[in-house]
Amino acid sequence: MFSRKPILGLRLFIVALLSIAMMLWEIHYPEEGEKLSSNISLVFTPLVDSINAPFSFFDKVAKNFEARKALLQENQTLQAQVLILQGELQKLKSLQAENKTLRGLLQSAAQSHHVRLMVASVMAIQANPFHQEIMLDKGSHDDVFVGQAVLDAHGIMGQVIDVSLYNSRVLLLTDPQSGVPIQDNRTGLHGILMGDGNSDVLRWVNVPPTVDIKIGDELVSSGLGGHYPVGYPVGTVVNINRHTDDQFLDIEVAPSAKMESSVQVLLVWPDKKSAR
């Protein structure tokens, strides 16, 4: 009974009386009521704005967050589309390169006087200072034989050294155990090129210092020994070292064939192997 806090019903009753009194005041004294309403609005408007400010702020933050999320999703979609287009472009470039290789192989085939040629794909490459080999997807099932010459679109690559039913191994010219008889296109000079384990270098061995050899001389297969067809590009002289204390020249030759990058090659059958 002696509590100083007014009960909730009393507060509500007082507010209701004040509201009714203000309505009656505006009805009987409209001008004074309008002024009173304006004054009350002037007082309470900043309070209402301050109360609504946090809600407005969070509403703007939420809208900005949604807009940023939409932009991020759109960006991811565009990035995915760009990636797909880049993939298609790479495929196109790959097809263009493959077509270029096939045209080169056809040109090599057109230069050949051999009866039979076959295109094979490179399945694996082993390139280190001790072994320079590739594996092809053709084998004895395709009449591939040991000792068979292998070309790419640019020149002689090597010869077959091992054959299974559907695969074969090719010893590249750059292997240390490889050798190919050659002829200098400019002078007609014969010689032997040996590999040294470097896919970019062949060496012309046992060349006396008195012979006529120049940088830029193009070397082709001579056909001696019967292992390689005659007249195919083998390499170009790129360096000649003349040491006064040596009885032979040190001649470096850049191979014509792309030993590590060719993906398609030609298998060559000489005349005596053409008949099945």
Side-chain angles (χ1 to χ4, degrees):
M1 292 177 62
F2 301 99
S3 174
R4 295 182 179 180
K5 296 182 179 179
I7 61 175
L8 181 60
L10 181 60
R11 291 179 179 178
L12 182 60
F13 179 73
I14 294 173
V15 171
L17 287 178
L18 289 175
S19 300
I20 293 172
M22 290 183 62
M23 292 173 63
L24 293 174
W25 178 272
E26 289 183 355
I27 292 172
H28 293 285
Y29 306 99
E31 294 182 1
E32 288 77 0
E34 185 177 354
K35 291 181 181 179
L36 179 62
S37 297
S38 299
N39 293 331
I40 292 174
S41 176
L42 185 64
V43 172
F44 283 98
T45 296
L47 179 61
V48 173
D49 291 340
S50 63
I51 293 173
N52 289 332
F55 297 99
S56 299
F57 172 77
F58 286 114
D59 185 57
K60 290 180 180 179
V61 169
K63 290 182 179 179
N64 290 335
F65 179 78
E66 291 295 330
R68 183 175 182 275
K69 184 178 179 181
L71 287 175
L72 287 175
Q73 291 177 346
E74 183 180 2
N75 182 263
Q76 291 176 352
T77 302
L78 292 175
Q79 286 180 345
Q81 292 176 351
V82 168
L83 188 61
I84 292 172
L85 291 175
Q86 288 176 339
E88 294 296 330
L89 180 61
Q90 291 177 9
K91 188 186 299 183
L92 177 61
K93 289 182 178 179
S94 176
L95 289 174
Q96 289 176 339
E98 184 177 354
N99 289 339
K100 184 178 180 181
T101 300
L102 290 173
R103 284 195 298 269
L105 291 176
L106 289 174
Q107 290 175 358
S108 296
Q111 296 173 358
S112 177
H113 298 291
H114 300 272
V115 174
R116 187 180 174 195
L117 297 165
M118 179 182 289
V119 176
S121 297
V122 177
M123 299 176 60
I125 299 175
Q126 183 178 16
N128 59 63
F130 305 103
H131 297 287
Q132 298 271 317
E133 299 178 2
I134 59 175
M135 179 174 287
L136 304 181
D137 64 346
K138 297 292 187 288
S140 59
H141 179 267
D142 307 287
D143 295 339
V144 178
F145 60 92
V146 173
Q148 188 170 12
V150 178
L151 320 173
D152 72 356
H154 308 281
I156 294 179
M157 291 189 71
Q159 63 177 318
V160 176
I161 58 171
D162 184 63
V163 179
S164 61
L165 186 60
Y166 295 106
N167 304 110
S168 55
R169 286 193 302 123
V170 177
L171 186 72
L172 298 178
L173 295 183
T174 50
D175 189 276
Q177 299 181 19
S178 181
V180 54
I182 53 90
Q183 183 177 10
D184 191 322
N185 260 347
R186 183 177 62 86
T187 64
L189 180 68
H190 286 263
I192 300 291
L193 288 185
M194 302 294 295
D196 69 351
N198 188 333
S199 61
D200 297 326
V201 176
L202 298 170
R203 296 197 178 275
W204 192 347
V205 297
N206 301 327
V207 181
T210 56
V211 299
D212 180 16
I213 298 177
K214 296 181 180 179
I215 292 177
D217 280 0
E218 296 181 351
L219 310 178
V220 298
S221 54
S222 66
L224 297 178
H227 293 293
Y228 296 99
V230 180
Y232 278 90
V234 178
T236 303
V237 176
V238 293
N239 193 20
I240 302 174
N241 295 317
R242 302 177 184 270
H243 303 294
T244 55
D245 54 343
D246 292 338
Q247 57 180 336
F248 297 111
L249 295 175
D250 180 15
I251 301 176
E252 295 182 359
V253 177
S256 300
K258 308 302 181 183
M259 303 296 178
E260 294 185 352
S261 59
S262 290
V263 295
Q264 290 179 311
V265 299
L266 275 176
L267 288 162
V268 182
W269 277 261
D271 290 339
K272 63 181 180 180
K273 293 289 183 179
S274 61
R276 288 197 170 189

Short mmCIF file of all heavy atoms in Angstrom, two decimals, residues 154 182-185 193 200-204 213-220 233-240 251-257:
data_model
loop_
_atom_site.label_atom_id
_atom_site.label_comp_id
_atom_site.label_asym_id
_atom_site.label_seq_id
_atom_site.Cartn_x
_atom_site.Cartn_y
_atom_site.Cartn_z
N HIS A 154 61.09 -32.54 -88.53
CA HIS A 154 62.27 -31.70 -88.78
C HIS A 154 63.51 -32.49 -89.19
O HIS A 154 64.43 -31.92 -89.77
CB HIS A 154 62.59 -30.88 -87.53
CG HIS A 154 61.41 -30.12 -87.00
ND1 HIS A 154 60.99 -28.93 -87.56
CD2 HIS A 154 60.55 -30.40 -85.99
CE1 HIS A 154 59.92 -28.50 -86.91
NE2 HIS A 154 59.63 -29.36 -85.96
N ILE A 182 76.77 -39.15 -91.56
CA ILE A 182 76.23 -37.92 -92.15
C ILE A 182 77.09 -37.46 -93.32
O ILE A 182 78.20 -37.97 -93.57
CB ILE A 182 76.15 -36.80 -91.08
CG1 ILE A 182 77.49 -36.59 -90.37
CG2 ILE A 182 75.06 -37.11 -90.09
CD1 ILE A 182 78.41 -35.61 -90.98
N GLN A 183 76.54 -36.46 -94.03
CA GLN A 183 77.24 -35.83 -95.12
C GLN A 183 76.98 -34.34 -95.08
O GLN A 183 75.84 -33.91 -94.82
CB GLN A 183 76.77 -36.40 -96.47
CG GLN A 183 77.52 -35.85 -97.67
CD GLN A 183 77.06 -36.50 -98.97
OE1 GLN A 183 76.06 -37.23 -98.99
NE2 GLN A 183 77.78 -36.24 -100.06
N ASP A 184 78.04 -33.54 -95.28
CA ASP A 184 77.92 -32.09 -95.31
C ASP A 184 77.31 -31.67 -96.64
O ASP A 184 77.86 -31.97 -97.71
CB ASP A 184 79.31 -31.45 -95.11
CG ASP A 184 79.23 -29.96 -94.86
OD1 ASP A 184 78.38 -29.29 -95.48
OD2 ASP A 184 80.01 -29.45 -94.03
N ASN A 185 76.17 -30.99 -96.59
CA ASN A 185 75.49 -30.58 -97.82
C ASN A 185 76.34 -29.64 -98.66
O ASN A 185 76.25 -29.63 -99.90
CB ASN A 185 74.17 -29.89 -97.48
CG ASN A 185 72.97 -30.81 -97.64
OD1 ASN A 185 73.08 -31.88 -98.22
ND2 ASN A 185 71.83 -30.41 -97.10
N LEU A 193 78.24 -38.51 -86.58
CA LEU A 193 77.78 -37.70 -85.45
C LEU A 193 77.47 -38.62 -84.29
O LEU A 193 76.81 -39.65 -84.45
CB LEU A 193 76.52 -36.91 -85.81
CG LEU A 193 76.66 -35.73 -86.77
CD1 LEU A 193 75.33 -35.01 -86.91
CD2 LEU A 193 77.73 -34.77 -86.32
N ASP A 200 70.37 -31.13 -76.86
CA ASP A 200 70.54 -30.01 -77.79
C ASP A 200 71.84 -30.08 -78.59
O ASP A 200 72.09 -29.20 -79.41
CB ASP A 200 70.53 -28.68 -77.02
CG ASP A 200 69.20 -28.44 -76.32
OD1 ASP A 200 68.17 -28.85 -76.89
OD2 ASP A 200 69.19 -27.87 -75.22
N VAL A 201 72.66 -31.12 -78.36
CA VAL A 201 73.99 -31.13 -78.97
C VAL A 201 74.33 -32.53 -79.50
O VAL A 201 74.10 -33.53 -78.82
CB VAL A 201 75.07 -30.68 -77.97
CG1 VAL A 201 76.46 -30.80 -78.59
CG2 VAL A 201 74.82 -29.25 -77.52
N LEU A 202 74.86 -32.57 -80.71
CA LEU A 202 75.55 -33.74 -81.26
C LEU A 202 76.99 -33.35 -81.53
O LEU A 202 77.30 -32.15 -81.66
CB LEU A 202 74.87 -34.19 -82.56
CG LEU A 202 73.41 -34.63 -82.48
CD1 LEU A 202 72.84 -34.80 -83.88
CD2 LEU A 202 73.28 -35.92 -81.69
N ARG A 203 77.88 -34.33 -81.63
CA ARG A 203 79.30 -34.04 -81.87
C ARG A 203 79.80 -34.79 -83.10
O ARG A 203 79.60 -35.99 -83.24
CB ARG A 203 80.13 -34.40 -80.64
CG ARG A 203 79.76 -33.55 -79.43
CD ARG A 203 80.81 -33.57 -78.34
NE ARG A 203 80.41 -32.71 -77.24
CZ ARG A 203 80.64 -31.40 -77.18
NH1 ARG A 203 81.28 -30.82 -78.17
NH2 ARG A 203 80.22 -30.68 -76.16
N TRP A 204 80.43 -34.02 -83.97
CA TRP A 204 81.06 -34.59 -85.16
C TRP A 204 82.47 -35.01 -84.76
O TRP A 204 83.31 -34.18 -84.44
CB TRP A 204 81.08 -33.55 -86.26
CG TRP A 204 81.45 -34.08 -87.61
CD1 TRP A 204 81.99 -35.30 -87.91
CD2 TRP A 204 81.29 -33.41 -88.86
NE1 TRP A 204 82.18 -35.43 -89.24
CE2 TRP A 204 81.76 -34.28 -89.86
CE3 TRP A 204 80.81 -32.16 -89.22
CZ2 TRP A 204 81.76 -33.94 -91.22
CZ3 TRP A 204 80.81 -31.82 -90.57
CH2 TRP A 204 81.28 -32.70 -91.55
N ILE A 213 85.12 -27.08 -92.95
CA ILE A 213 83.85 -27.10 -92.22
C ILE A 213 83.58 -25.69 -91.70
O ILE A 213 84.48 -25.04 -91.15
CB ILE A 213 83.88 -28.10 -91.05
CG1 ILE A 213 84.09 -29.52 -91.57
CG2 ILE A 213 82.58 -28.04 -90.25
CD1 ILE A 213 84.21 -30.55 -90.48
N LYS A 214 82.36 -25.21 -91.85
CA LYS A 214 81.99 -23.88 -91.39
C LYS A 214 80.75 -23.94 -90.52
O LYS A 214 79.92 -24.85 -90.66
CB LYS A 214 81.72 -22.96 -92.58
CG LYS A 214 82.93 -22.70 -93.46
CD LYS A 214 82.56 -21.75 -94.61
CE LYS A 214 83.77 -21.47 -95.50
NZ LYS A 214 83.41 -20.56 -96.63
N ILE A 215 80.67 -22.97 -89.62
CA ILE A 215 79.45 -22.84 -88.83
C ILE A 215 78.27 -22.53 -89.75
O ILE A 215 78.37 -21.67 -90.62
CB ILE A 215 79.61 -21.74 -87.76
CG1 ILE A 215 80.64 -22.16 -86.72
CG2 ILE A 215 78.28 -21.42 -87.08
CD1 ILE A 215 80.93 -21.10 -85.67
N GLY A 216 77.19 -23.25 -89.55
CA GLY A 216 76.01 -23.10 -90.41
C GLY A 216 75.89 -24.19 -91.45
O GLY A 216 74.84 -24.28 -92.12
N ASP A 217 76.92 -25.03 -91.61
CA ASP A 217 76.82 -26.15 -92.55
C ASP A 217 75.69 -27.08 -92.13
O ASP A 217 75.57 -27.45 -90.95
CB ASP A 217 78.14 -26.93 -92.59
CG ASP A 217 79.19 -26.24 -93.46
OD1 ASP A 217 78.89 -25.17 -94.01
OD2 ASP A 217 80.32 -26.78 -93.56
N GLU A 218 74.87 -27.46 -93.10
CA GLU A 218 73.77 -28.38 -92.84
C GLU A 218 74.20 -29.80 -93.14
O GLU A 218 74.78 -30.08 -94.20
CB GLU A 218 72.55 -28.00 -93.69
CG GLU A 218 71.98 -26.63 -93.33
CD GLU A 218 70.76 -26.28 -94.15
OE1 GLU A 218 70.46 -27.03 -95.11
OE2 GLU A 218 70.11 -25.27 -93.84
N LEU A 219 73.89 -30.69 -92.21
CA LEU A 219 74.31 -32.09 -92.32
C LEU A 219 73.08 -32.97 -92.52
O LEU A 219 72.07 -32.79 -91.85
CB LEU A 219 75.06 -32.51 -91.06
CG LEU A 219 76.19 -31.57 -90.61
CD1 LEU A 219 76.83 -32.08 -89.33
CD2 LEU A 219 77.23 -31.40 -91.70
N VAL A 220 73.19 -33.92 -93.45
CA VAL A 220 72.10 -34.85 -93.73
C VAL A 220 72.61 -36.27 -93.58
O VAL A 220 73.82 -36.53 -93.55
CB VAL A 220 71.52 -34.63 -95.14
CG1 VAL A 220 70.94 -33.23 -95.28
CG2 VAL A 220 72.59 -34.87 -96.20
N PRO A 233 67.50 -34.42 -92.95
CA PRO A 233 68.26 -33.51 -92.08
C PRO A 233 68.64 -34.18 -90.76
O PRO A 233 67.83 -34.89 -90.16
CB PRO A 233 67.28 -32.36 -91.85
CG PRO A 233 66.31 -32.42 -92.98
CD PRO A 233 66.18 -33.87 -93.32
N VAL A 234 69.87 -33.94 -90.35
CA VAL A 234 70.35 -34.46 -89.07
C VAL A 234 70.72 -33.33 -88.12
O VAL A 234 70.42 -33.38 -86.93
CB VAL A 234 71.56 -35.40 -89.27
CG1 VAL A 234 72.07 -35.89 -87.92
CG2 VAL A 234 71.18 -36.58 -90.15
N GLY A 235 71.37 -32.29 -88.64
CA GLY A 235 71.76 -31.18 -87.76
C GLY A 235 72.46 -30.07 -88.50
O GLY A 235 72.70 -30.16 -89.71
N THR A 236 72.82 -29.03 -87.74
CA THR A 236 73.53 -27.87 -88.28
C THR A 236 74.73 -27.57 -87.39
O THR A 236 74.61 -27.56 -86.15
CB THR A 236 72.60 -26.64 -88.32
OG1 THR A 236 71.44 -26.95 -89.09
CG2 THR A 236 73.32 -25.44 -88.93
N VAL A 237 75.87 -27.31 -88.02
CA VAL A 237 77.09 -26.99 -87.26
C VAL A 237 76.90 -25.64 -86.56
O VAL A 237 76.58 -24.64 -87.21
CB VAL A 237 78.32 -26.94 -88.19
CG1 VAL A 237 79.56 -26.52 -87.40
CG2 VAL A 237 78.55 -28.30 -88.85
N VAL A 238 77.11 -25.63 -85.24
CA VAL A 238 76.90 -24.41 -84.47
C VAL A 238 78.18 -23.93 -83.79
O VAL A 238 78.27 -22.78 -83.37
CB VAL A 238 75.80 -24.60 -83.41
CG1 VAL A 238 74.45 -24.81 -84.09
CG2 VAL A 238 76.11 -25.76 -82.48
N ASN A 239 79.18 -24.79 -83.67
CA ASN A 239 80.41 -24.38 -82.99
C ASN A 239 81.58 -25.25 -83.44
O ASN A 239 81.43 -26.47 -83.58
CB ASN A 239 80.23 -24.47 -81.47
CG ASN A 239 81.34 -23.76 -80.72
OD1 ASN A 239 82.02 -22.90 -81.27
ND2 ASN A 239 81.54 -24.13 -79.48
N ILE A 240 82.73 -24.63 -83.67
CA ILE A 240 83.94 -25.35 -84.06
C ILE A 240 85.07 -24.89 -83.15
O ILE A 240 85.45 -23.71 -83.15
CB ILE A 240 84.31 -25.08 -85.53
CG1 ILE A 240 83.15 -25.49 -86.45
CG2 ILE A 240 85.59 -25.83 -85.90
CD1 ILE A 240 83.39 -25.12 -87.91
N ILE A 251 83.66 -30.35 -82.82
CA ILE A 251 82.59 -29.72 -83.59
C ILE A 251 81.25 -30.04 -82.94
O ILE A 251 80.91 -31.22 -82.76
CB ILE A 251 82.60 -30.21 -85.05
CG1 ILE A 251 83.95 -29.89 -85.70
CG2 ILE A 251 81.46 -29.57 -85.84
CD1 ILE A 251 84.08 -30.42 -87.10
N GLU A 252 80.51 -28.99 -82.60
CA GLU A 252 79.18 -29.15 -82.02
C GLU A 252 78.12 -28.93 -83.09
O GLU A 252 78.21 -28.00 -83.88
CB GLU A 252 78.97 -28.15 -80.88
CG GLU A 252 79.89 -28.38 -79.68
CD GLU A 252 79.62 -27.41 -78.55
OE1 GLU A 252 78.73 -26.55 -78.73
OE2 GLU A 252 80.29 -27.51 -77.52
N VAL A 253 77.11 -29.81 -83.07
CA VAL A 253 76.03 -29.77 -84.05
C VAL A 253 74.68 -29.73 -83.33
O VAL A 253 74.44 -30.54 -82.41
CB VAL A 253 76.09 -31.00 -84.98
CG1 VAL A 253 74.92 -31.00 -85.96
CG2 VAL A 253 77.42 -31.03 -85.74
N ALA A 254 73.83 -28.80 -83.72
CA ALA A 254 72.48 -28.74 -83.17
C ALA A 254 71.59 -29.70 -83.96
O ALA A 254 71.50 -29.59 -85.18
CB ALA A 254 71.92 -27.33 -83.25
N PRO A 255 70.96 -30.67 -83.30
CA PRO A 255 70.12 -31.63 -84.04
C PRO A 255 68.92 -30.95 -84.69
O PRO A 255 68.34 -30.02 -84.12
CB PRO A 255 69.70 -32.64 -82.98
CG PRO A 255 69.84 -31.91 -81.67
CD PRO A 255 70.97 -30.95 -81.85
N SER A 256 68.55 -31.43 -85.87
CA SER A 256 67.38 -30.88 -86.55
C SER A 256 66.08 -31.30 -85.87
O SER A 256 65.14 -30.52 -85.76
CB SER A 256 67.37 -31.34 -88.02
OG SER A 256 68.53 -30.90 -88.69
N ALA A 257 66.01 -32.56 -85.43
CA ALA A 257 64.80 -33.08 -84.80
C ALA A 257 64.62 -32.47 -83.41
O ALA A 257 65.59 -32.14 -82.73
CB ALA A 257 64.87 -34.60 -84.70
#
